[in-house]
């Protein structure tokens, strides 16, 4: 594993371990510049922060590094150039002429983040369908497309897949992929160097603008202002805009109202946490990319024990590395070693399908599954239905819209209301918690 991949893996792990502000402000500013024997040189893109990071996070970083390298490393901190460096083009990813694979503008896209490498299941099928539709005819169907969801659910992957597909069909498309942070930095730089004219020229003429983690611009007035005009200019010329965020437009604090309404003006879709099957599929894809045919049983074991796809990739890399270093096949006991003592047996829950949940709830309340799915507003059916929403969400992590879909097109606000009600009742109402336990016992044995 090269230092860059290693560090990416470590950061992905850390992102799940520390709070968001800590990750964004400190840890994400570091990179592994060199690993020479046991000495690891950690670069920090914000020289002001070096001391702070060294005192506060040295031991955490060392712990992670030691886990992966199996060494007792010594950390040295130093300043590192920013990722975009002095390159005034900043996040520019634009192709005026057909590019070769090695052209610098392609480097910003991860070549592995394609539709072909994207596994689809209930938690992400709507997002996938929308993304492929946009890639097929940008500027026509859903504009803007706004994808949101938690860390590691595949937002960046899906967005870059759109970019790959559009470039494949039309290498001359004027396309930029960048993160909200890069966009912000570039505006600040343009304002500082009085080059906002170039900036406007560059962005307002795009055919496709993909902006990842847009929530970053919230609370930054000049940036929001510029983004608003960029957005309008692109849309007026028939260009496509795709955005991702860690939360829905109405949950982004300090986002200007006019932007919020723009964001919601197209299609907004949430991507849920991946279910067990999806985690297995992702593992198989990732293993294959590294030239491994992962036995399905081992994939299942890993997927049972690790919920987040990013973390999953880290575990997979560790498992593969262990297997290579010790020259042993990938097996249950190897995974045991990597994951430590808390390992769970492959989960019984896995393989239970939504229909089975409907059946279990119906059975528990002595009603018919068709009554639960139907739209009769019978009081007797209200609680069982709400319990059903709750189970879909808590046990299967289905997105709200998905739950609405399974139950014959109910509105997501109804679903949300039901889930909240059941979760509140679970804390105060004995009968409710007993009902839930009873149904779960039926389902998972
Ligand atoms: P996000 O941007 O939502 O935080 P990423 O797109 O960075 O998540 O995904 C995290 C990792 O998980 C990436 O390596 C990505 O390829 C992988 N991943 C997530 N969802 C899928 C999927 N459905 N199919 C294949 N890989 C996935
Ligand atoms: Mg992302």
């Amino acid at each position: 594993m090269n230092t860059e991949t290693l560090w990416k893996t470590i950061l992905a792990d850390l992102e799940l371990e520390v709070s968001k502000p800590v990750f964004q402000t400190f840890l994400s500013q570091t990179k592994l510049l060199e690993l020479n024997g046991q000495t690891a040189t950690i670069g920090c893109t914000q020289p002001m922060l070096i001391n702070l990071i060294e005192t506060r996070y040295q031991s955490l970083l060392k712990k992670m590094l030691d886990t992966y390298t199996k060494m007792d490393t010594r950390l040295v901190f130093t300043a590192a150039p920013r990722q975009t460096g002095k390159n005034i083009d900043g996040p520019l990813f634009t192709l005026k002429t057909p590019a070769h694979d090695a052209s610098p503008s392609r480097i910003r896209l991860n070549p592995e983040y394609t539709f072909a490498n994207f596994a689809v299941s209930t938690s992400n099928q709507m997002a996938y369908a929308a993304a492929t539709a946009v890639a097929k005819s940008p500027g026509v169907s859903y504009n803007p497309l706004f994808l949101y969801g938690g860390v590691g659910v595949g937002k960046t992957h899906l967005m870059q897949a759109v970019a790959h597909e559009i470039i494949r069909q039309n290498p001359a498309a004027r396309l930029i992929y960048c993160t909200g942070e890069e966009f912000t930095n570039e505006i600040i730089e343009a304002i500082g160097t009085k080059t906002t004219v170039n900036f406007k020229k560059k962005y307002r003429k795009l055919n496709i603008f993909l902006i990842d983690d847009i929530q970053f611009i919230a609370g930054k007035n000049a940036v929001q202002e510029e983004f608003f005009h960029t957005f309008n200019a692109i849309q007026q010329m028939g260009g496509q805009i795709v955005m991702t965020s860690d939360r829905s437009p109405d949950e982004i604090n300090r986002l200007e109202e006019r932007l919020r309404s723009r964001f919601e003006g197209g299609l907004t879709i949430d991507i849920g946490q991946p279910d067990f099957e999806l985690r297995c599929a992702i593992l198989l894809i990732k293993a294959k990319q590294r030239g491994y045919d992962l036995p399905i049983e081992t994939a299942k074991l890993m997927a049972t024990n690790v919920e987040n796809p990013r973390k999953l990739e880290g575990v997979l890399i560790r498992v593969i590395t262990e297997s290579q270093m010790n020259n042993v096949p990938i097996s249950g006991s190897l995974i045991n070693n990597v994951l430590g003592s808390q390992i769970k047996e492959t989960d019984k829950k896995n393989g239970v399908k939504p229909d089975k949940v409907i059946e279990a709830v119906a059975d528990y309340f002595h009603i018919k599954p068709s009554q639960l799915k139907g739209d009769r507003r019978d009081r007797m059916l209200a609680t069982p239905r709400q319990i059903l929403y709750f189970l879909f969400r808590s046990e299967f992590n289905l997105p709200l819209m998905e739950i609405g879909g399974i139950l014959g097109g109910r509105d997501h606000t109804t679903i949300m209301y039901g889930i909240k009600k059941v979760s509140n009742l679970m804390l105060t109402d004995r009968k409710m918690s007993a009902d839930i336990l009873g149904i779960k016992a039926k389902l998972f044995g």
Side-chain angles (χ1 to χ4, degrees), residues 60-78:
L60 182 62
L61 293 172
K62 175 176 156 47
K63 190 186 90 190
M64 299 300 286
L65 205 53
D66 289 356
T67 316
Y68 280 94
T69 58
K70 295 269 179 308
M71 292 191 293
D72 180 17
T73 52
R74 192 173 69 88
L75 270 47
V76 180
F77 290 82
T78 175

Side-chain angles (χ1 to χ4, degrees), residues 256-276:
E256 280 183 19
E257 206 39 56
R258 55 182 183 168
L259 277 178
R260 196 187 313 278
S261 71
R262 287 290 185 290
F263 290 3
E264 288 168 342
L267 183 65
T268 305
I269 298 184
D270 71 329
I271 306 183
Q273 291 298 324
D275 58 17
F276 172 75

Side-chain angles (χ1 to χ4, degrees), residues 166-355:
I166 290 177
I167 292 167
R168 195 180 66 77
Q169 285 174 18
N170 176 12
R174 287 191 303 274
L175 177 151
I176 288 182
Y177 164 85
C178 71
T179 63
E181 182 174 12
E182 288 163 338
F183 185 80
T184 301
N185 290 342
E186 206 182 342
I187 292 177
I188 294 169
E189 191 166 330
I191 295 172
T193 54
K194 303 203 170 52
T195 50
T196 48
V197 178
N198 296 345
F199 179 89
K200 284 177 183 147
K201 254 196 219 148
K202 176 172 144 188
Y203 282 99
R204 295 192 185 178
K205 288 200 187 120
L206 291 176
N207 309 122
I208 298 106
F209 188 20
L210 305 134
I211 178 157
D212 205 356
D213 290 319
I214 186 74
Q215 76 276 357
F216 193 86
I217 71 167
K220 305 184 175 71
N221 292 340
V223 184
Q224 296 195 69
E225 167 87 21
E226 190 53 45
F227 186 72
F228 179 72
H229 296 298
T230 308
F231 187 107
N232 289 343
I234 295 175
Q235 232 182 23
Q236 267 157 26
M237 312 239 302
Q240 172 75 46
I241 295 163
V242 183
M243 291 172 278
T244 71
S245 164
D246 63 353
R247 65 204 91 159
S248 70
D250 57 281
E251 289 164 332
I252 304 178
N253 292 329
R254 300 201 298 152
L255 180 68
E256 280 183 19
E257 206 39 56
R258 55 182 183 168
L259 277 178
R260 196 187 313 278
S261 71
R262 287 290 185 290
F263 290 3
E264 288 168 342
L267 183 65
T268 305
I269 298 184
D270 71 329
I271 306 183
Q273 291 298 324
D275 58 17
F276 172 75
E277 274 85 8
L278 185 54
R279 298 202 296 275
C280 285
I282 294 175
L283 273 171
L284 296 175
I285 292 175
K286 298 280 173 198
K288 197 149 199 180
Q289 281 167 3
R290 294 183 165 76
Y292 275 85
D293 253 331
L294 199 62
I296 184 81
E297 281 313 314
T298 48
K300 280 185 177 172
L301 189 59
M302 281 189 251
T304 301
N305 282 280
V306 184
E307 303 238 311
N308 190 284
R310 279 211 199 157
K311 208 152 192 170
L312 210 52
E313 202 178 356
V315 169
L316 177 69
I317 292 175
R318 259 152 70 189
V319 168
I320 291 178
T321 315
E322 286 280 310
S323 134
Q324 278 173 335
M325 281 193 339
N326 305 319
N327 206 5
V328 293
I330 296 180
S331 64
S333 62
L334 181 62
I335 294 168
N336 251 311
N337 282 345
V338 169
L339 289 175
S341 51
Q342 329 90 316
I343 189 159
K344 282 189 274 182
E345 302 267 300
T346 302
D347 207 330
K348 288 210 193 80
K349 179 151 90 192
N350 307 319
V352 175
K353 293 268 180 296
D355 267 348

Side-chain angles (χ1 to χ4, degrees), residues 1 59 67 105 110 122 129 146 163 201 203 233 236 239 259 270 304 377-378 434:
M1 199 179 344
S59 60
T67 316
S105 45
N110 183 330
T122 40
F146 191 101
K201 254 196 219 148
Y203 282 99
Q236 267 157 26
L259 277 178
D270 71 329
T304 301
R377 285 167 183 268
D378 201 325

Side-chain angles (χ1 to χ4, degrees), residues 370-443:
S370 58
Q371 286 179 291
L372 278 176
K373 287 201 255 187
D375 50 14
R376 261 192 63 194
R377 285 167 183 268
D378 201 325
R379 275 200 56 155
M380 182 192 90
L381 296 173
T383 305
R385 272 187 191 138
Q386 287 170 342
I387 290 181
L388 193 56
Y389 309 155
F390 173 82
L391 287 173
F392 275 146
R393 188 73 177 173
S394 64
E395 298 300 311
F396 298 87
N397 289 315
L398 292 187
L400 299 178
M401 291 227 268
E402 183 70 31
I403 301 176
I406 294 175
L407 296 168
R410 279 194 175 71
D411 185 59
H412 75 274
T413 48
T414 312
I415 311 281
M416 172 97 99
Y417 172 80
I419 294 171
K420 280 202 180 135
K421 191 165 156 204
V422 174
S423 4
N424 288 339
L425 279 177
M426 286 226 340
L427 301 174
T428 51
D429 180 3
R430 284 241 184 96
K431 173 150 180 358
M432 181 58 89
S433 44
D435 284 349
I436 302 267
L437 274 180
I439 297 165
K440 278 197 195 168
K442 260 186 200 299
L443 264 177

